[in-house]
Amino acid sequence: MNPKDETYYLIRSDMLPEAIQKTVKAKAMLASGEVQTVQEAVDGVGMSRSSFYKYKDGVYPFNALMKEKIVTISLTLEHRAGVLSGILSYLAMRRGNVLTIHQTIPLQGIAGVTMSLDTAQVLISLTELIDGMKEMDGVVRAALVGRGE
């Protein structure tokens, strides 16, 4: 299936077929460490391995999709000591996890910074996070340039 042709639905769990409900339970058992193998998980929920493999890559709990977000932010910063450090402290205080940082060589007192963040644990909305960076001393510009999982 072409990724552009994929359609997603939000469906109450009790409306799902039993095989899909069991797949979600089996995946949760594996993720939590309750079981170590797929065979243990499918035995634990009473389903076949083939059914598990048929659905495992197509069903996820809604909260998992909403939380596991990686975003890319572009910043233009004044070239002064402590500006980038201040951004990193700000993100850490809000439980943002910096995955990558790329900083250009400063030209005319301005440096470009692109960073990727894991926002799964961030305590505020992404809009609030970026708006907060825009207000920081030494930040000329802050913008969201990409998001994914």
Side-chain angles (χ1 to χ4, degrees), residues 25-60:
K25 288 178 186 172
K27 287 177 65 172
M29 291 169 70
L30 286 162
S32 71
E34 181 181 338
V35 295
Q36 302 302 310
T37 67
V38 170
Q39 188 64 53
E40 290 174 317
V42 298
D43 288 346
V45 297
M47 73 182 302
S48 68
R49 285 172 55 96
S50 62
S51 290
F52 175 81
Y53 283 113
K54 179 179 180 179
Y55 297 117
K56 77 173 182 69
D57 293 327
V59 61
Y60 302 92

Side-chain angles (χ1 to χ4, degrees), residues 49-124:
R49 285 172 55 96
S50 62
S51 290
F52 175 81
Y53 283 113
K54 179 179 180 179
Y55 297 117
K56 77 173 182 69
D57 293 327
V59 61
Y60 302 92
F62 180 69
N63 61 345
L65 289 176
M66 294 305 291
K67 287 189 173 188
E68 295 176 11
K69 294 289 183 191
I70 296 173
V71 299
T72 302
I73 297 173
S74 174
L75 301 159
T76 304
L77 306 177
E78 294 176 6
H79 180 59
R80 289 190 284 115
V83 174
L84 182 56
S85 176
I87 293 283
L88 297 175
S89 294
Y90 169 83
L91 292 169
M93 288 175 54
R94 282 143 191 90
R95 299 183 62 186
N97 183 18
V98 177
L99 302 172
T100 65
I101 299 175
H102 175 77
Q103 181 176 351
T104 62
I105 295 173
L107 297 173
Q108 299 178 344
I110 299 292
V113 175
T114 304
M115 61 176 60
S116 297
L117 305 171
D118 178 347
T119 61
Q121 302 295 318
V122 171
L123 303 172
I124 59 177

